[in-house]
Amino acid sequence: MKVLVTGGCGYIGSHTVVELLQEDYEVVIIDNLSNSLKEVLTSIETITKKKPIFYEGDVVDFSLLRKVFSEHSFDAVIHFAGYKAVGESVQKPLMYYRNNLESTLHLCEVMKEFGCKRLVFSSSATVYGSPKKLPITEEMPLSTTNPYGTTKLMIENILRDLSSSDNEWSIALLRYFNPIGAHSSGLIGENPKGIPNNLMPYIIKVAMGELPQLDIFGNDYNTKDGTGVRDYIHVVDLAQGHIAALNKVINSTGIDACNLGTGKGYSVLELVQTFEKVNHIKIPYQIAPRRAGDVAECYADCSYAKKQLDWSSKKDLETMCRDAYHYISVLKKSTDI
Ligand code: NAD
Ligand code: UDP
């Protein structure tokens, strides 16, 4: 089986490429390296002893897409490429709509042209907006609170229309909850540039001494300890969810959305305390005002993924915290040498 992975050098894409290669899929990556480094390809090869084929370029670029599809015959596509920072999407909505929508539209047009109609798409729990009920099930109402989320919801709708127009398409919409952690080798992981917006990358920067302390955004929510609750999922579990989704799209037609989470909610304080315990390191923090747009709690009902994909997450919060820190420690050691 040959799979095209767009955005395969990124955080979730690189972990998925590792799982695919280990399952003996042939992998072709297109990535413009706008939010990743080419060195990740060497790390993938070190882990798997296999080399994915790599095209450096933009998924928006029709001529590149046609070249790649002419040179390979794909059984399916996993589409990760896109911008993902909520705050930035509020500042630069046009950039987000252009990249996320155009890349998907152009990709689907070329897939159709070349008769490849199996797609796994990276959606997000953000399409549930401010959920009225917990845990979140796939049939709950969809809405968004920022341009990034709107691109995901618009793409879900476009893909639904595409599927209704032609019943040969087989599409999985995977709604990720909060991916954290890294590959156990410490060779691939998440290392955003600048000051991170998300909790785990921020904790890591504090742990490395690059930022003085963590601001906890609110301790007056109606949650177990007053801090925000999220469904953190190990990125390797998430990557394996893509293999399960790939099996599903290869063996069926139609379109279906699936939550990929653990089904468990942990608070900010629980995450900080677990990180401190497993890594033997103190994370100084202060309580800060709530962050605009945050919901108190968000966690998935994952029973549909179990039923439809025969997939469920395996790794616990301790492993997520240990692996996230291990990756940065390995990275720091290699750049210090
Ligand atoms: P990432 O930024 O690490 O990876 C995305 C990759 O796509 C990067 O390597 C980037 O260089 C590439 N890219 C972006 N636009 C491109 C384009 N037009 N052409 C070619 N390459 C392009 O992000 P990630 O965390 O791995 O997320 C992957 C996908 O999952 C994204 O679509 C994101 O919106 C979605 N998602 C992520 C999260 C999360 O918390 N990380 C949660 C929900 C959904
Ligand atoms: N959070 C925090 N300090 C930070 C970043 C995040 O207290 O510096 C909290 C945030 O308010 C939320 C949780 O951590 O309750 C997860 O935030 P993240 O941005 O990682 O994910 P999202 O809110 O998008 O689910």
Side-chain angles (χ1 to χ4, degrees):
M1 289 272 172
K2 197 181 249 191
V3 182
L4 173 64
V5 181
T6 74
C9 295
Y11 174 47
I12 305 171
S14 58
H15 287 83
T16 303
V17 168
V18 164
E19 298 302 313
L20 286 167
L21 292 172
Q22 286 175 338
E23 294 282 329
D24 281 338
Y25 286 91
E26 279 182 73
V27 177
V28 176
I29 296 174
I30 303 181
D31 200 304
N32 63 6
L33 305 177
S34 57
N35 197 35
S36 52
L37 299 171
K38 207 171 179 175
E39 289 74 61
V40 80
L41 296 165
T42 313
S43 303
I44 289 171
E45 198 180 341
T46 308
I47 297 169
T48 62
K49 313 276 179 283
K50 291 178 187 167
K51 209 178 171 144
I53 297 166
F54 176 58
Y55 291 83
E56 182 175 342
D58 208 301
V59 182
V60 171
D61 178 354
F62 269 125
S63 58
L64 172 69
L65 285 173
R66 292 205 174 95
K67 173 177 155 65
V68 174
F69 276 81
S70 315
E71 289 174 3
H72 306 273
S73 171
F74 296 114
D75 294 287
V77 176
I78 307 182
H79 181 36
F80 292 105
Y83 296 148
K84 63 165 181 177
V86 171
E88 188 182 45
S89 79
V90 176
Q91 305 302 321
K92 301 176 182 167
L94 296 178
M95 187 175 109
Y96 270 68
Y97 286 112
R98 176 180 288 281
N99 193 44
N100 293 5
L101 294 177
E102 277 197 354
S103 62
T104 310
L105 288 170
H106 293 191
L107 176 67
C108 289
E109 280 182 56
V110 175
M111 286 176 71
K112 189 175 163 174
E113 218 172 287
F114 284 80
C116 170
K117 296 183 179 176
R118 296 176 182 135
L119 177 68
V120 175
F121 172 66
S122 296
S123 189
S124 164
T126 190
V127 298
Y128 295 112
S130 305
K132 300 270 177 300
K133 245 178 36 202
L134 291 164
I136 299 172
T137 54
E138 285 80 358
E139 67 277 5
M140 277 170 54
L142 305 178
S143 67
T144 60
T145 53
N146 56 70
Y148 163 68
T150 308
T151 67
K152 292 294 175 190
L153 189 50
M154 287 171 85
I155 294 168
E156 285 204 5
N157 288 332
I158 290 167
L159 295 177
R160 279 183 205 289
D161 288 344
L162 182 60
S163 168
S164 329
S165 73
D166 174 353
N167 60 17
E168 284 179 5
W169 280 89
S170 180
I171 301 173
L173 308 171
L174 301 183
R175 296 178 180 154
Y176 312 154
F177 279 67
N178 290 57
I180 58 171
H183 192 265
S184 58
S185 62
L187 294 175
I188 52 173
E190 187 178 26
N191 182 29
K193 294 176 196 130
I195 298 181
N197 295 305
N198 297 112
L199 181 58
M200 180 57 94
Y202 204 104
I203 291 177
I204 299 265
K205 297 259 179 199
V206 174
M208 302 308 285
E210 291 171 31
L211 291 169
Q213 65 181 357
L214 170 72
D215 281 342
I216 294 186
F217 299 141
N219 67 347
D220 56 354
Y221 286 109
N222 185 19
T223 58
K224 47 187 135 183
D225 58 23
T227 65
V229 166
R230 296 289 183 275
D231 185 338
Y232 298 98
I233 172 169
H234 196 295
V235 66
V236 172
D237 276 337
L238 188 66
Q240 286 166 357
H242 289 75
I243 309 286
L246 203 55
N247 284 331
K248 176 80 183 167
V249 296
I250 284 169
N251 293 304
S252 61
T253 54
I255 183 163
D256 215 359
C258 246
N259 289 339
L260 296 187
T262 63
K264 295 189 196 84
Y266 288 101
S267 72
V268 177
L269 278 174
E270 283 176 322
L271 185 68
V272 170
Q273 285 155 5
T274 307
F275 188 94
E276 291 184 327
K277 187 180 88 185
V278 301
N279 295 315
H280 313 289
I281 194 159
K282 197 91 202 114
I283 302 297
Y285 66 80
Q286 63 176 6
I287 303 300
R290 290 181 179 193
R291 182 171 66 177
D294 267 357
V295 296
E297 290 194 82
C298 177
Y299 54 91
D301 180 327
C302 299
S303 49
Y304 194 66
K306 176 77 196 145
K307 187 170 143 227
Q308 287 298 99
L309 308 181
D310 193 24
W311 168 91
S312 52
S313 69
K314 297 190 177 62
K315 295 178 189 289
D316 61 13
L317 194 68
E318 294 196 353
T319 310
M320 299 180 213
C321 290
R322 204 178 292 118
D323 288 346
Y325 188 53
H326 177 56
Y327 165 66
I328 293 293
S329 311
V330 170
L331 188 68
K332 190 160 188 323
K333 231 180 258 164
S334 70
T335 48
D336 282 353
I337 294 166

